[in-house]
Amino acid sequence: MAAPIAVAIDAPEIEAAARWASAVAPHVSTVKVGLELYLRYGPEVVTTVRGANKVSVFLDLKLHDIPDTVERATRNVARLRPSYLTVHAAGGRDMIAAAVDAAPETRIAAVTVLTSLDDAALEEVGVRGPAEDAARRLAALAVDAGAQALVCSPREVAALRAEVGPDITLITPGVRPAGSDQGDQARVATPEAALAAGADLLVIGRPITRAPDPGAAAASIAAALRRSETASA
């Protein structure tokens, strides 16, 4: 069974994205196409990374605009049949609802608080913290507006699960295997810790895609997760 991992395919060009997606597909449930890659290649990149693989595609565009614009943008990308599409929860109730209505076959995932932000950064942009409280408020608003999934840091997973219940998919970026470089992420956890806290889908990028063998790296992390789940059962 594929591990609940979304590999962030942040490749410099589309050929590398296709290779990485094929390499990790036997081991993970999902591949994630982010803003940079999508802006460079457009819809073609979604078709390319999906290929003949049976992995789900997570289109991480973090839409944030007035409701009408987000509705039209969502309707356009819904034709690509992504399993998930991200919008910013901070866009508000009407914007989130517009995205949900425009893509009935896609799970709209509302981004709560970016994992690159800490409490000081939130205060600087005028958001009441701490980060966990801000994420919980945004999560409740997004789910009430119809979002079927939430994106939060691993450190907020338990609080959001308590807030929104068992039926909402919790997606966690900022996941780093033990010993990995934290990079530009401020609020991180290991894959095992994120899953134990209640996450449903773990976003992992550089620890896999920058490995000499991305397929082997994905397989190793997937095996570690299976061992952890077996041990805790």
Side-chain angles (χ1 to χ4, degrees):
M1 182 176 176
I5 295 171
V7 178
I9 305 291
D10 299 320
E13 79 287 320
I14 198 167
E15 293 80 11
R19 288 197 305 273
W20 292 352
S22 293
V24 304
H27 314 293
V28 305
S29 66
T30 309
V31 293
K32 183 175 83 71
V33 173
L35 185 61
E36 183 178 351
L37 196 59
Y38 188 82
L39 288 180
R40 186 169 183 182
Y41 293 105
E44 177 190 2
V45 73
V46 176
T47 304
T48 299
V49 300
R50 181 181 281 128
N53 306 312
K54 296 191 186 238
V55 291
S56 298
V57 174
F58 175 5
L59 192 51
D60 188 18
L61 301 184
K62 296 185 178 72
L63 301 177
H64 190 172
D65 212 310
I66 63 173
D68 284 350
T69 298
V70 168
E71 180 180 5
R72 290 192 293 269
T74 301
R75 204 175 300 283
N76 283 330
V77 297
R79 293 178 294 183
L80 302 173
R81 298 177 293 107
S83 295
Y84 300 94
L85 172 68
T86 51
V87 302
H88 270 292
R93 184 183 309 276
D94 290 347
M95 189 207 78
I96 296 165
V100 171
D101 290 344
E105 304 300 320
T106 294
R107 288 185 182 180
I108 297 300
V111 178
T112 56
V113 176
L114 294 171
T115 53
S116 58
L117 300 177
D118 57 17
D119 292 348
L122 285 176
E123 183 177 355
E124 189 175 30
V125 297
V127 176
R128 285 187 294 121
E132 181 178 303
D133 290 348
R136 192 167 61 246
R137 291 193 305 270
L138 288 165
L141 179 149
V143 170
D144 193 51
Q148 304 98 332
L150 298 167
V151 181
C152 63
S153 96
R155 298 187 188 180
E156 286 98 56
V157 168
L160 264 61
R161 180 62 73 202
E163 181 73 34
V164 303
D167 298 328
I168 301 298
T169 300
L170 297 185
I171 302 170
T172 54
V175 175
R176 293 286 185 272
S180 295
D181 181 11
Q182 185 168 321
D184 58 359
Q185 306 290 340
R187 305 186 327 278
V188 301
T190 65
E192 295 85 355
L195 209 60
D200 297 299
L201 185 63
L202 314 178
V203 178
I204 305 176
R206 286 164 282 191
I208 292 175
T209 59
R210 292 188 181 178
D213 184 340
S220 176
I221 295 172
L225 283 177
R226 285 192 292 271
R227 289 194 297 270
S228 176
E229 288 182 298
T230 300
S232 62

